[in-house]
Amino acid sequence: MSKRMMWTAFAAVAAIGIATPAVAQKSVTVIREIDTDRYDPHKSTARSGAEVMYMIGDTLVNLDFDMKTLKPGLAKSWTVSPDGLTYTFKLREGVSFCSGKKMTAKDVVATYERWLDPETKGLVKWRMGDVDKISAPDDLTVEYKLKKPFSELLYQMTQYFHTILNIEQAKQLGADFGIKAIDGTGPYCLESWTPRDQTVLVKHKGYNWGPGIYDYTEAQVDRVVWKVVPEENTRVTALQAGQADASQYVPYWSIKELTANKQLHVSKAENFFWTYFIGFKIDKELVNDVRVRRAINLAVDQKAITEAVTFGLAEPASTMLNPTVLDFNAKVDRAIYGENIKEAEKLLDEAGWKKGADGFRYKDGKKLAPLVYGISGAFKEIAEAVQGELRKVGIDLQIQLFDSTVAWGKLATQEFDAFGMSFPYVSAGDALNLYFRSANTPTPNRMNWKDKETDELLDKGSQALDAATRATAYAAVQQKVHDAAVWIPLYHEPLFLVTGAKLKPAKAHGNYGCALYKGLGLAFK
């Protein structure tokens, strides 16, 4: 970073009011790039919502750092019937919400009933499985009955969508739930949220039921301030100057510099799967021809973009999913993703898109200028890089970016031809069920991919009682969507967590890309 940039960043740190030493000793400032649209686990899929939800709420089951081992959460134990249809959870005693209300099995049941209720308009309900009935035989027992086996249920229960809520509060607040307040059982409690500025959490007094993956089962800090700092230079400088205490939102160019700083600690998450891509709304006129989508893919040099955007720290994507993820289909033809300008030009010509005098392509008087929507921040550089690549073959990509507080609403519309997105997953089934079920349109299935065979295969994989059947079903789905060139896979990113001089080194967690996970790794030296 140049001296001029550094002084500009220092000035920005002072201007935005990041925590200073005058703030209470046990207060921690965590900086992030963008804000969420709400803190409601049933109505938002944003990572910026998840990273706070994990800290202010709890799930029945927790996930270890290896992203494979399940750990007790609000449930201290569980059993599964031989037919895979009935899960019986034994709850911890002495658990309470931040409001002081005692949590019982009835709260668990009410939480799931809210998610299932059509009036809630809850997202990604497939993460619950095909629910038959959820009941509470007594205050500390939950019976979770399915109509069909769901091989990933326990893992899915580690996801923040399964956060147990005080439904009495949710009913009282109505549409304002998750915006004005949210009452959870997590190690921290929501004190305030100022959209696009900061979210303040305070220690949940009496909380001592955190997962054993940490050195502590209760919060070690009194206050956590999640501060939105859009400028990457400012985030880096704030960490270096001790004006901020932790962040996973550090630019790739800074990793080497931050790692060399002996006052800081940089942790890279284990077994982390997060992919950046641009998806096509496949029924839109400009991109409904698979030849056009393949041509766009062949015009994009993933390796060059990865080098430019991530300084080589990420892995260029030649497939839609990370090749090391569980149930990956290694037989897909990777040649359809990767730069081949000559083949891209040929496909566009065959599809009837001819170059005009201005160098751009036209068909029936229409210009090949697809509109891509995205969230302001990191996607800007990626989108502009793709835009430059597509101009080489005569495609005039149009870019429209939105602030995170409104972007998720815009991305649920039918206004665009393509969209920029990144997402976390730990298995092929996790990713495929999220994005390619017909029922998940218009979001997160923003591609409008509605295919009966895909749904049947996803059901087969989800209900499989053996690994081979599951893998075969998910491999078939991967083959279909891969061949249809539904996305431009860009790169598979790593996850780094930086903690400052006054904190003990914190280990990055990969769950949903929320490096701090429960926040119980935040502790002073």
Side-chain angles (χ1 to χ4, degrees), residues 476-494:
V477 176
Q478 289 172 72
Q479 189 72 57
K480 285 178 68 72
V481 296
H482 182 95
D483 291 347
V486 180
W487 291 354
I488 311 172
L490 297 169
Y491 58 81
H492 308 301
E493 75 163 358

Side-chain angles (χ1 to χ4, degrees), residues 29 129 186 211 356 408 514:
T29 297
W408 298 104
C514 301

Side-chain angles (χ1 to χ4, degrees), residues 82-202:
D83 60 5
L85 296 178
T86 303
Y87 291 69
T88 303
F89 298 92
K90 292 297 182 180
L91 305 182
R92 294 180 183 273
E93 297 181 36
V95 174
S96 63
F97 290 96
C98 284
S99 62
K101 174 188 172 184
K102 181 181 178 181
M103 191 212 76
T104 70
K106 291 180 180 179
D107 295 296
V108 177
V109 173
T111 295
Y112 284 112
E113 287 178 343
R114 176 184 188 259
W115 195 0
L116 288 166
D117 188 345
E119 291 188 9
T120 302
K121 297 180 180 179
L123 304 176
V124 295
K125 293 181 183 180
W126 66 268
R127 292 181 183 270
M128 283 183 280
D130 192 353
V131 175
D132 181 9
K133 183 180 181 182
I134 304 173
S135 59
D138 58 59
D139 284 351
L140 295 176
T141 304
V142 174
E143 286 190 357
Y144 196 109
K145 295 186 177 182
L146 298 170
K147 296 177 182 177
K148 304 172 185 176
F150 184 34
S151 58
E152 295 188 30
L153 180 62
L154 291 174
Y155 168 73
Q156 291 300 333
M157 284 185 166
T158 71
Q159 304 297 284
Y160 82 99
F161 305 100
H162 286 260
T163 300
I164 303 306
L165 306 171
N166 179 353
I167 299 302
E168 292 177 6
Q169 182 203 53
K171 290 179 179 178
Q172 290 171 356
L173 291 177
D176 288 329
F177 178 71
I179 297 175
K180 288 187 175 180
I182 179 169
D183 193 16
T185 65
Y188 300 91
C189 303
L190 179 66
E191 181 178 84
S192 64
W193 175 36
T194 306
R196 296 181 293 278
D197 182 12
Q198 67 179 26
T199 300
V200 181
L201 312 181
V202 294

Side-chain angles (χ1 to χ4, degrees), residues 280 290-302 333-348 389-390 392-393 395 485 487-489:
F280 299 108
V290 67
R291 293 171 296 183
V292 172
R293 299 196 298 272
R294 286 193 173 189
I296 290 175
N297 268 285
L298 292 170
V300 174
D301 186 344
Q302 279 92 343
D333 180 12
R334 300 191 187 193
I336 70 170
Y337 295 139
E339 189 180 34
N340 186 332
I341 298 298
K342 185 177 180 179
E343 182 64 19
E345 297 265 12
K346 179 183 176 182
L347 286 169
L348 289 170
E389 297 281 281
L390 296 186
K392 296 177 184 178
V393 296
I395 298 173
W487 291 354
I488 311 172

